[in-house]
Amino acid sequence: METKLKALNTIALFIPIFIGLLGLMAEGLFILAALSTMVTGLIQVVLGILYWIKFPKSISIKIYFLIVIIFFLLLFSKIADNWIWFLPPILCLYLSILVYSLKENHEK
């Protein structure tokens, strides 16, 4: 399952990057790249759920979901500000670190 999680995460990370690079050659794809980040976010949440199923006692994944919940609560509240848009890339990086370090953390 670890290989599948890593492959899914890699695909999720490279969708907006690939479309953004295509945007350098074809005008208008930058908007598609920006929209594809929503797909990446959805894939990351699904990936997080799969990780949680595999490792239900992991504190790291609980922290991930706590920050995801905080992001969505702030997003739909009146106190959301421009700084909130730093959370998705941070969450993406955090989950990627968790996924790519699976064997190291959970074989011990």
Side-chain angles (χ1 to χ4, degrees):
M1 180 155 181
E2 289 89 6
T3 305
K4 291 178 184 177
L5 291 176
K6 289 176 184 178
L8 184 60
N9 188 64
T10 302
I11 291 167
L13 294 175
F14 282 104
I15 289 171
I17 293 169
F18 178 72
I19 295 173
L21 289 174
L22 284 177
L24 294 173
M25 295 179 263
E27 194 172 316
L29 286 180
F30 285 118
I31 293 171
L32 184 60
L35 292 174
S36 72
T37 59
M38 289 187 277
V39 173
T40 297
L42 177 64
I43 292 171
Q44 287 265 304
V45 170
V46 169
L47 187 63
I49 292 168
L50 293 173
Y51 186 99
W52 194 352
I53 290 169
K54 178 88 174 152
F55 306 105
K57 295 182 181 183
S58 171
I59 295 295
S60 301
I61 199 64
K62 291 175 185 176
I63 291 169
Y64 169 78
F65 278 110
L66 177 66
I67 298 170
V68 168
I69 290 168
I70 290 169
F71 170 74
F72 281 106
L73 287 175
L74 289 173
L75 183 65
F76 296 113
S77 72
K78 293 183 179 187
I79 59 172
D81 203 1
N82 289 335
W83 64 268
I84 194 174
W85 300 111
F86 288 105
L87 283 179
I90 291 169
L91 284 166
C92 187
L93 179 63
Y94 180 71
L95 185 61
S96 295
I97 291 168
L98 289 179
V99 168
Y100 289 116
S101 65
L102 275 176
K103 279 192 171 195
E104 299 161 14
N105 290 340
H106 299 289
E107 282 187 350
K108 296 177 182 177

